[in-house]
């Protein structure tokens, strides 16, 4: 499920970043010029999800997670 967001526009209403804006922790620039959206979720909020966004195309190009996560990959 999470991999299916790679390639989506950040304007897509079905993208995770738009469906769960209340879970957004931060947004920052990356050294490669892309942006990174940081979300927190899961039991006791111990799962951090990061989406890398191409600044030019406004598309999700990668994702990763850290912590105690149960995610449908």
């Amino acid at each position: 499920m999470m991999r299916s967001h790679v390639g989506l526009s950040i304007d897509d209403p079905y993208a995770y970043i738009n469906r769960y804006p209340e879970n957004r922790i931060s947004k920052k620039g990356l050294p490669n010029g892309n942006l990174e959206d940081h979300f927190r979720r899961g039991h006791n909020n111990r799962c951090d999800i990061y989406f890398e966004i191409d600044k030019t195309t406004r598309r999700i190009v990668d994702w990763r997670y850290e912590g105690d996560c149960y995610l449908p990959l």
Side-chain angles (χ1 to χ4, degrees):
M1 175 184 155
M2 299 307 284
R3 270 188 239 142
S4 69
H5 294 278
V6 173
L8 290 181
S9 167
I10 62 169
D11 300 311
D12 187 318
Y14 295 105
Y16 186 94
I17 61 177
N18 294 320
R19 292 181 66 192
Y20 303 102
E22 68 277 6
N23 293 344
R24 180 177 280 124
I25 300 298
S26 64
K27 186 177 229 173
K28 70 175 187 175
L30 296 173
N32 65 3
N34 288 344
L35 303 172
E36 183 177 74
D37 261 354
H38 174 195
F39 291 81
R40 182 157 295 145
R41 67 170 274 185
H43 182 67
N44 293 328
N45 289 321
R46 291 187 289 188
C47 177
D48 292 305
I49 303 169
Y50 301 87
F51 290 99
E52 184 175 344
I53 301 160
D54 183 292
K55 193 174 180 179
T56 304
T57 65
R58 298 177 48 86
R59 295 206 172 268
I60 299 169
V61 295
D62 202 4
W63 79 282
R64 65 185 173 88
Y65 70 92
E66 295 176 356
D68 184 17
C69 301
Y70 171 75
L71 299 170
L73 302 175

